[in-house]
Amino acid sequence: MAKEGKTSKETGEIVELMELLFFAYRDFISDPDEILSKYGFGRAHHRVIHFVGRHPGIRVAELLDILRITKQSLGRVLKELIETGYVFQQEGETDRRRRLLYLTDSGCDLHRELMAPQIERFKSAIKGTGTKINGVHRDLLFQLIDKDDRDHVNKLFGQAATHCKQKQDI
Amino acid sequence: MAKEGKTSKETGEIVELMELLFFAYRDFISDPDEILSKYGFGRAHHRVIHFVGRHPGIRVAELLDILRITKQSLGRVLKELIETGYVFQQEGETDRRRRLLYLTDSGCDLHRELMAPQIERFKSAIKGTGTKINGVHRDLLFQLIDKDDRDHVNKLFGQAATHCKQKQDI
DNA sequence: AAAAATATGTCAATAGTACTGACGTATTTT
DNA sequence: AAAATACGTCAGTACTATTGACATATTTTT
């Protein structure tokens, strides 16, 4: 039988951590899924709604870069969101080739509706850990991102908007 | 304009945490994707390989519960994995209705190949955080899981196998 | 022994997401 | 004027997933 080396236990713990990421993500996305089906939308629509909401005036190219999908995949979803009145486009001022994307009022409402249960999940999860230390929870997730992309993510955070439509401070 | 209430900043940080989960998961699954395409498999195959590898002799019903997909979705993937010789079935000893699932030797090899880059990613991520405190990284992910399911996940961890085929302690 | 429950497999039909690769158009930069 | 950029769109394809119904073998309950 396999003899257990010194590193086996460590690796085992890492595999558990990997599975925790899988389970956490699985349940994390289950929240909005139900809401989306009411609207006839899927996860791709959700992601577009979210990042357009967080970055009003975002360009198509940037959205493609964030979502890591192809133009064609985004195209269909974006078209549907525009036709159904959740997203609208504006010509760029400085560069008229650009289509700047914004959420409509209904888009903002939907965005908030989608975020609510996920924010709730995170809030109680953080409470559940009982950790007071600042940043520990961000660290691992951040470090899991491709090294080349971490600057980009940080930059995104810097530019992120408080919402288009602030009904209340939740 | 929206006046920023006390809770706004906290919520903003939570939204960033949510996005970090999205980015982390996006990159985390990008590792095996490339490997899978060589074999003509997709993510569903990966998940089956993984959990069968971790729980040799797992039942179909349990796999369905872990993956949260339908019997039909699993059925197709499982059939392909069996036909191509990565997974095999055995009748349950005590209950002959059960089909207990195992990885073949090639299945184990593939499993290891798929895990390797993800283990690497986690190891350097943990190193990158510089945190020595035990468990902090698990806590948040664990708490993000549906409350009803946490016991189940813990139970799974308890039953998880060191691999079927221990070539080396990585 | 008969009835009920369980574990699994399978059918058909459909939807959502994603891919590749190429091409067209408008606009800006060089 | 030429080159590069931003975007949209085409056709064809693949993977993952869904629902709901039904068939089979086996075990448990009555």
Side-chain angles (χ1 to χ4, degrees), chain A residues 51-60 62 88 90 98-103:
Chain A
F51 286 102
V52 172
R54 286 272 289 170
H55 302 280
I58 194 174
R59 290 185 295 145
V60 171
E62 170 102 84
F88 68 96
Q90 257 185 1
R98 297 180 180 178
R99 303 295 150 94
L100 308 185
L101 304 171
Y102 298 88
L103 294 186

Side-chain angles (χ1 to χ4, degrees), chain A residues 67-80:
Chain A
L67 302 180
R68 295 272 174 83
I69 57 174
T70 56
K71 233 193 294 184
Q72 293 68 20
S73 297
L74 177 58
R76 178 185 52 82
V77 168
L78 202 49
K79 196 177 162 190
E80 286 171 9

Side-chain angles (χ1 to χ4, degrees), chain B residues 60-72:
Chain B
V60 171
E62 170 103 84
L63 205 46
L64 286 174
D65 191 42
I66 290 173
L67 302 180
R68 295 273 173 83
I69 57 176
T70 56
K71 229 194 299 184
Q72 293 68 19

Side-chain angles (χ1 to χ4, degrees), chain A residues 52 82 111:
Chain A
V52 172
I82 290 169
H111 185 200

